[in-house]
Structures are given as structure tokens and as C-alpha cells.
Amino acid sequence: MDTTELERLAREIRLRDLQAVFESGAGHIGGEMSVIDILTALYFRVLNVWPDQPKHPARDRFVLSKGHTACALYVTLAKRGFIPEEEISTFLQPHSRLNGHPNCNKVPGVETNTGPLGHGLPVSVGMAKAAKLSGAKYHTYVVTGDGEMQEGSNWEAIMAAAQFKLDNLTLVIDHNRFQQGAALADTNDLAPLRPKLEAFDWEVTEINGNKMSEVVPALEHRGSRPHCIVAHTNKGHGISFMQDRVDWHHKVPSKEQYEIALAELSEAL
């Protein structure tokens, strides 16, 4: 897909994500809206994956370390053909396999269970190192939140990736500047992120993570070192009253708010 097609699809995914969160009465809509452009570019342009063979050994690996934004991943997987699109209506319902955090034992296309923050990047380093040991050609991608980068386990993984020279690993930090309950700047402010990653001998690219023309080339980049993309995004992107508001980390829109958001996202299609 070209960037125009990807942008249209990302808007469709945002719309379905909004509906699913509203109907289920739960979710993490702010961070879902910020990461959807990245997920769309990965699954419809960058990743070598086969929905009818989700465990194909040659597939690229993708880990959503910020697992609380699972609904955005489920909608993307459904659009890509991993699960039925009608199954999205079961999100968070009793006995549904679409839980609040991704489960690799239940959902095709999910590589590893995530939710406890600080786990996805270490697991991804293991996946990338396994490819080096076995001679496999797959690439590993992982998306973390910026608040999640406060976890020490991530920095141990970053050191290991540099030591092992994992040029087959791409880390995307969804830098939307907010975490649960507060702005990043008011908790443990890691910004600017770029010099910190560069100090660990990573290659770093900074982009507008909600602009597809910047997202795609950054994800497709290949170098000689582990690659980190610092994706500057907006919490609640695409919905005016949610954007850059900390209370929309896991707030659910009222009926009136839902109608406003629905109209804004539909107008953009």
C-alpha cells in the first residue's frame, strides 16, 4: 500500500477501535489512537507475515510491548485477516479471546503475551538473537510506550542488543508524552530519548509517528546496528477532545462524546 491508502486504513482502524471501546465500556483509547499509524504501516506495508500461516517460520516478529493498547492490535489483525472482523465486537466480553492484553495462546498473530510493562523489548531481543544464532532472516519489531521506558529491564535489553549487534531489531517508542495518571515530564522524564539510545550505540531516527510519510521509511530502514525510532505522537490522535489529555489514558467516552468522536473520525474518511 502507498501512504495515501495506509492513511485511509489507519482512519478506518481508529473508527473501529473507538466503537469497540465504547461498546465494551473499557479500553485504553488514548494510547491506541497514538499507535495506530505505526501498527497500520507495519501490518499493511512492512511486515512479512501470512495470516493463513501465523506461525510461518520465516515471518517477521512483532511485539506490542504496550499491551494495554490491545484493542488497536486486534482491529489491525482483523483487518489483515488474522481473525474475523466481526470478532472485534466480543472485545472484553465473557469467554472472548480478545482480552485487555494480547495472549499468544489464544489470538493468531500475537507473538508473546504482554501487559506487564518492560517485558516486550527483552523478549524481542531474545527473538532477534535467536535469528542470529539460527541464521534466520526475519526482522523483529517491538513497540513500547514512552512511560514504559522508565522500566530498568528495557535498558538492560538495550545494552544486550548493542552487545550482540542486533541489526535485525527495530524498537519503536510511542512518544505521546503521557502515561497513566500524569505527563511523562511530571513522573520520570526521560526526554529527550534520542541521546540516551545513542549512548548505548543504537542508531536512532526521530519522526512524527502520526505522519505516514515519515513512519513508513523509518520502519523500512536497515542499518548495521539496532535501530530505535522515537515516534513523536499525540495521545488520542484524531479526536479533538481526547488529544494530549492525560485523563484519556483509559477513560471511556460518554454517549455524547462518542457521537462527537464518531463524527470527527468519519469526516476524515
Side-chain angles (χ1 to χ4, degrees), residues 75-95:
V75 176
T76 306
L77 289 173
K79 288 282 188 183
R80 189 64 174 83
F82 282 89
I83 60 176
E85 289 198 51
E86 57 268 23
E87 189 174 354
I88 299 301
S89 63
T90 73
F91 176 58
L92 296 180
Q93 299 304 307
H95 309 297

PDB file of all heavy atoms in Angstrom, residues 75-95:
ATOM      1  N   VAL A  75      -7.928  -4.925  16.165  1.00  0.00           N
ATOM      2  CA  VAL A  75      -8.594  -4.373  14.979  1.00  0.00           C
ATOM      3  C   VAL A  75      -7.666  -4.476  13.767  1.00  0.00           C
ATOM      4  O   VAL A  75      -8.093  -4.833  12.663  1.00  0.00           O
ATOM      5  CB  VAL A  75      -9.031  -2.915  15.210  1.00  0.00           C
ATOM      6  CG1 VAL A  75      -9.627  -2.321  13.936  1.00  0.00           C
ATOM      7  CG2 VAL A  75     -10.045  -2.834  16.345  1.00  0.00           C
ATOM      8  N   THR A  76      -6.381  -4.191  13.979  1.00  0.00           N
ATOM      9  CA  THR A  76      -5.405  -4.286  12.890  1.00  0.00           C
ATOM     10  C   THR A  76      -5.266  -5.721  12.414  1.00  0.00           C
ATOM     11  O   THR A  76      -5.245  -5.990  11.204  1.00  0.00           O
ATOM     12  CB  THR A  76      -4.043  -3.736  13.347  1.00  0.00           C
ATOM     13  OG1 THR A  76      -4.203  -2.409  13.855  1.00  0.00           O
ATOM     14  CG2 THR A  76      -3.053  -3.707  12.200  1.00  0.00           C
ATOM     15  N   LEU A  77      -5.174  -6.667  13.343  1.00  0.00           N
ATOM     16  CA  LEU A  77      -5.075  -8.084  12.972  1.00  0.00           C
ATOM     17  C   LEU A  77      -6.311  -8.542  12.208  1.00  0.00           C
ATOM     18  O   LEU A  77      -6.212  -9.324  11.254  1.00  0.00           O
ATOM     19  CB  LEU A  77      -4.891  -8.945  14.225  1.00  0.00           C
ATOM     20  CG  LEU A  77      -3.533  -8.848  14.930  1.00  0.00           C
ATOM     21  CD1 LEU A  77      -3.572  -9.629  16.245  1.00  0.00           C
ATOM     22  CD2 LEU A  77      -2.410  -9.381  14.041  1.00  0.00           C
ATOM     23  N   ALA A  78      -7.474  -8.045  12.617  1.00  0.00           N
ATOM     24  CA  ALA A  78      -8.713  -8.412  11.926  1.00  0.00           C
ATOM     25  C   ALA A  78      -8.719  -7.860  10.503  1.00  0.00           C
ATOM     26  O   ALA A  78      -9.071  -8.568   9.549  1.00  0.00           O
ATOM     27  CB  ALA A  78      -9.922  -7.903  12.709  1.00  0.00           C
ATOM     28  N   LYS A  79      -8.322  -6.607  10.350  1.00  0.00           N
ATOM     29  CA  LYS A  79      -8.264  -6.008   9.014  1.00  0.00           C
ATOM     30  C   LYS A  79      -7.287  -6.762   8.108  1.00  0.00           C
ATOM     31  O   LYS A  79      -7.500  -6.872   6.888  1.00  0.00           O
ATOM     32  CB  LYS A  79      -7.831  -4.545   9.105  1.00  0.00           C
ATOM     33  CG  LYS A  79      -8.876  -3.603   9.681  1.00  0.00           C
ATOM     34  CD  LYS A  79      -9.945  -3.256   8.669  1.00  0.00           C
ATOM     35  CE  LYS A  79     -10.870  -2.162   9.187  1.00  0.00           C
ATOM     36  NZ  LYS A  79     -11.967  -1.874   8.220  1.00  0.00           N
ATOM     37  N   ARG A  80      -6.228  -7.314   8.710  1.00  0.00           N
ATOM     38  CA  ARG A  80      -5.188  -8.022   7.946  1.00  0.00           C
ATOM     39  C   ARG A  80      -5.571  -9.476   7.679  1.00  0.00           C
ATOM     40  O   ARG A  80      -4.905 -10.150   6.882  1.00  0.00           O
ATOM     41  CB  ARG A  80      -3.860  -7.950   8.718  1.00  0.00           C
ATOM     42  CG  ARG A  80      -2.638  -8.434   7.974  1.00  0.00           C
ATOM     43  CD  ARG A  80      -2.316  -7.575   6.760  1.00  0.00           C
ATOM     44  NE  ARG A  80      -1.063  -7.971   6.141  1.00  0.00           N
ATOM     45  CZ  ARG A  80      -0.934  -8.973   5.263  1.00  0.00           C
ATOM     46  NH1 ARG A  80      -1.997  -9.662   4.901  1.00  0.00           N
ATOM     47  NH2 ARG A  80       0.234  -9.283   4.737  1.00  0.00           N
ATOM     48  N   GLY A  81      -6.617  -9.955   8.356  1.00  0.00           N
ATOM     49  CA  GLY A  81      -7.099 -11.300   8.071  1.00  0.00           C
ATOM     50  C   GLY A  81      -6.683 -12.379   9.053  1.00  0.00           C
ATOM     51  O   GLY A  81      -6.937 -13.566   8.820  1.00  0.00           O
ATOM     52  N   PHE A  82      -6.086 -11.998  10.170  1.00  0.00           N
ATOM     53  CA  PHE A  82      -5.680 -12.986  11.173  1.00  0.00           C
ATOM     54  C   PHE A  82      -6.876 -13.519  11.960  1.00  0.00           C
ATOM     55  O   PHE A  82      -6.890 -14.676  12.371  1.00  0.00           O
ATOM     56  CB  PHE A  82      -4.670 -12.378  12.143  1.00  0.00           C
ATOM     57  CG  PHE A  82      -3.277 -12.276  11.593  1.00  0.00           C
ATOM     58  CD1 PHE A  82      -2.871 -11.148  10.890  1.00  0.00           C
ATOM     59  CD2 PHE A  82      -2.362 -13.295  11.782  1.00  0.00           C
ATOM     60  CE1 PHE A  82      -1.588 -11.041  10.371  1.00  0.00           C
ATOM     61  CE2 PHE A  82      -1.074 -13.210  11.280  1.00  0.00           C
ATOM     62  CZ  PHE A  82      -0.682 -12.079  10.565  1.00  0.00           C
ATOM     63  N   ILE A  83      -7.842 -12.663  12.232  1.00  0.00           N
ATOM     64  CA  ILE A  83      -9.052 -13.042  12.959  1.00  0.00           C
ATOM     65  C   ILE A  83     -10.254 -12.438  12.237  1.00  0.00           C
ATOM     66  O   ILE A  83     -10.100 -11.455  11.501  1.00  0.00           O
ATOM     67  CB  ILE A  83      -9.017 -12.582  14.442  1.00  0.00           C
ATOM     68  CG1 ILE A  83      -8.875 -11.055  14.536  1.00  0.00           C
ATOM     69  CG2 ILE A  83      -7.895 -13.279  15.207  1.00  0.00           C
ATOM     70  CD1 ILE A  83      -8.928 -10.511  15.962  1.00  0.00           C
ATOM     71  N   PRO A  84     -11.457 -12.981  12.439  1.00  0.00           N
ATOM     72  CA  PRO A  84     -12.639 -12.415  11.775  1.00  0.00           C
ATOM     73  C   PRO A  84     -12.926 -11.000  12.265  1.00  0.00           C
ATOM     74  O   PRO A  84     -12.828 -10.716  13.459  1.00  0.00           O
ATOM     75  CB  PRO A  84     -13.767 -13.370  12.190  1.00  0.00           C
ATOM     76  CG  PRO A  84     -13.090 -14.622  12.641  1.00  0.00           C
ATOM     77  CD  PRO A  84     -11.777 -14.197  13.211  1.00  0.00           C
ATOM     78  N   GLU A  85     -13.278 -10.108  11.342  1.00  0.00           N
ATOM     79  CA  GLU A  85     -13.566  -8.729  11.732  1.00  0.00           C
ATOM     80  C   GLU A  85     -14.754  -8.640  12.687  1.00  0.00           C
ATOM     81  O   GLU A  85     -14.782  -7.794  13.581  1.00  0.00           O
ATOM     82  CB  GLU A  85     -13.811  -7.867  10.488  1.00  0.00           C
ATOM     83  CG  GLU A  85     -12.535  -7.600   9.686  1.00  0.00           C
ATOM     84  CD  GLU A  85     -12.659  -6.425   8.743  1.00  0.00           C
ATOM     85  OE1 GLU A  85     -13.085  -5.340   9.188  1.00  0.00           O
ATOM     86  OE2 GLU A  85     -12.326  -6.587   7.553  1.00  0.00           O
ATOM     87  N   GLU A  86     -15.724  -9.533  12.527  1.00  0.00           N
ATOM     88  CA  GLU A  86     -16.893  -9.497  13.412  1.00  0.00           C
ATOM     89  C   GLU A  86     -16.546  -9.878  14.853  1.00  0.00           C
ATOM     90  O   GLU A  86     -17.293  -9.570  15.787  1.00  0.00           O
ATOM     91  CB  GLU A  86     -18.004 -10.404  12.883  1.00  0.00           C
ATOM     92  CG  GLU A  86     -17.621 -11.848  12.685  1.00  0.00           C
ATOM     93  CD  GLU A  86     -17.111 -12.155  11.281  1.00  0.00           C
ATOM     94  OE1 GLU A  86     -16.641 -11.213  10.584  1.00  0.00           O
ATOM     95  OE2 GLU A  86     -17.180 -13.336  10.884  1.00  0.00           O
ATOM     96  N   GLU A  87     -15.384 -10.510  15.047  1.00  0.00           N
ATOM     97  CA  GLU A  87     -14.989 -10.906  16.404  1.00  0.00           C
ATOM     98  C   GLU A  87     -14.632  -9.692  17.265  1.00  0.00           C
ATOM     99  O   GLU A  87     -14.646  -9.781  18.505  1.00  0.00           O
ATOM    100  CB  GLU A  87     -13.813 -11.887  16.356  1.00  0.00           C
ATOM    101  CG  GLU A  87     -13.495 -12.517  17.705  1.00  0.00           C
ATOM    102  CD  GLU A  87     -12.439 -13.600  17.637  1.00  0.00           C
ATOM    103  OE1 GLU A  87     -12.002 -13.963  16.529  1.00  0.00           O
ATOM    104  OE2 GLU A  87     -12.032 -14.083  18.718  1.00  0.00           O
ATOM    105  N   ILE A  88     -14.324  -8.572  16.645  1.00  0.00           N
ATOM    106  CA  ILE A  88     -13.979  -7.365  17.417  1.00  0.00           C
ATOM    107  C   ILE A  88     -15.123  -6.996  18.366  1.00  0.00           C
ATOM    108  O   ILE A  88     -14.894  -6.444  19.446  1.00  0.00           O
ATOM    109  CB  ILE A  88     -13.647  -6.193  16.476  1.00  0.00           C
ATOM    110  CG1 ILE A  88     -12.430  -6.532  15.599  1.00  0.00           C
ATOM    111  CG2 ILE A  88     -13.381  -4.918  17.266  1.00  0.00           C
ATOM    112  CD1 ILE A  88     -11.159  -6.848  16.367  1.00  0.00           C
ATOM    113  N   SER A  89     -16.347  -7.309  17.998  1.00  0.00           N
ATOM    114  CA  SER A  89     -17.495  -6.980  18.856  1.00  0.00           C
ATOM    115  C   SER A  89     -17.487  -7.766  20.157  1.00  0.00           C
ATOM    116  O   SER A  89     -18.248  -7.443  21.074  1.00  0.00           O
ATOM    117  CB  SER A  89     -18.808  -7.216  18.104  1.00  0.00           C
ATOM    118  OG  SER A  89     -18.953  -8.586  17.776  1.00  0.00           O
ATOM    119  N   THR A  90     -16.617  -8.776  20.275  1.00  0.00           N
ATOM    120  CA  THR A  90     -16.527  -9.556  21.523  1.00  0.00           C
ATOM    121  C   THR A  90     -15.458  -9.018  22.464  1.00  0.00           C
ATOM    122  O   THR A  90     -15.247  -9.595  23.537  1.00  0.00           O
ATOM    123  CB  THR A  90     -16.216 -11.032  21.228  1.00  0.00           C
ATOM    124  OG1 THR A  90     -14.835 -11.175  20.821  1.00  0.00           O
ATOM    125  CG2 THR A  90     -17.133 -11.591  20.150  1.00  0.00           C
ATOM    126  N   PHE A  91     -14.791  -7.934  22.101  1.00  0.00           N
ATOM    127  CA  PHE A  91     -13.694  -7.396  22.915  1.00  0.00           C
ATOM    128  C   PHE A  91     -14.118  -7.239  24.375  1.00  0.00           C
ATOM    129  O   PHE A  91     -15.121  -6.586  24.675  1.00  0.00           O
ATOM    130  CB  PHE A  91     -13.254  -6.047  22.334  1.00  0.00           C
ATOM    131  CG  PHE A  91     -12.196  -5.332  23.131  1.00  0.00           C
ATOM    132  CD1 PHE A  91     -10.974  -5.918  23.393  1.00  0.00           C
ATOM    133  CD2 PHE A  91     -12.422  -4.045  23.609  1.00  0.00           C
ATOM    134  CE1 PHE A  91      -9.988  -5.254  24.110  1.00  0.00           C
ATOM    135  CE2 PHE A  91     -11.453  -3.364  24.332  1.00  0.00           C
ATOM    136  CZ  PHE A  91     -10.233  -3.971  24.589  1.00  0.00           C
ATOM    137  N   LEU A  92     -13.369  -7.891  25.267  1.00  0.00           N
ATOM    138  CA  LEU A  92     -13.554  -7.851  26.716  1.00  0.00           C
ATOM    139  C   LEU A  92     -14.850  -8.517  27.205  1.00  0.00           C
ATOM    140  O   LEU A  92     -15.186  -8.390  28.391  1.00  0.00           O
ATOM    141  CB  LEU A  92     -13.476  -6.409  27.251  1.00  0.00           C
ATOM    142  CG  LEU A  92     -12.132  -5.702  27.092  1.00  0.00           C
ATOM    143  CD1 LEU A  92     -12.209  -4.294  27.666  1.00  0.00           C
ATOM    144  CD2 LEU A  92     -11.014  -6.486  27.766  1.00  0.00           C
ATOM    145  N   GLN A  93     -15.553  -9.208  26.333  1.00  0.00           N
ATOM    146  CA  GLN A  93     -16.768  -9.900  26.753  1.00  0.00           C
ATOM    147  C   GLN A  93     -16.407 -11.230  27.411  1.00  0.00           C
ATOM    148  O   GLN A  93     -15.328 -11.783  27.184  1.00  0.00           O
ATOM    149  CB  GLN A  93     -17.687 -10.137  25.553  1.00  0.00           C
ATOM    150  CG  GLN A  93     -18.143  -8.864  24.868  1.00  0.00           C
ATOM    151  CD  GLN A  93     -18.831  -7.900  25.821  1.00  0.00           C
ATOM    152  OE1 GLN A  93     -19.771  -8.268  26.519  1.00  0.00           O
ATOM    153  NE2 GLN A  93     -18.347  -6.661  25.868  1.00  0.00           N
ATOM    154  N   PRO A  94     -17.283 -11.796  28.268  1.00  0.00           N
ATOM    155  CA  PRO A  94     -17.002 -13.088  28.888  1.00  0.00           C
ATOM    156  C   PRO A  94     -16.671 -14.153  27.841  1.00  0.00           C
ATOM    157  O   PRO A  94     -17.358 -14.259  26.819  1.00  0.00           O
ATOM    158  CB  PRO A  94     -18.313 -13.407  29.625  1.00  0.00           C
ATOM    159  CG  PRO A  94     -18.915 -12.071  29.912  1.00  0.00           C
ATOM    160  CD  PRO A  94     -18.564 -11.220  28.731  1.00  0.00           C
ATOM    161  N   HIS A  95     -15.606 -14.902  28.113  1.00  0.00           N
ATOM    162  CA  HIS A  95     -15.146 -16.016  27.276  1.00  0.00           C
ATOM    163  C   HIS A  95     -14.538 -15.577  25.943  1.00  0.00           C
ATOM    164  O   HIS A  95     -14.181 -16.425  25.128  1.00  0.00           O
ATOM    165  CB  HIS A  95     -16.279 -17.023  27.013  1.00  0.00           C
ATOM    166  CG  HIS A  95     -16.993 -17.472  28.242  1.00  0.00           C
ATOM    167  ND1 HIS A  95     -16.361 -18.177  29.249  1.00  0.00           N
ATOM    168  CD2 HIS A  95     -18.281 -17.298  28.644  1.00  0.00           C
ATOM    169  CE1 HIS A  95     -17.219 -18.424  30.221  1.00  0.00           C
ATOM    170  NE2 HIS A  95     -18.393 -17.899  29.878  1.00  0.00           N
TER     171      HIS A  95
END
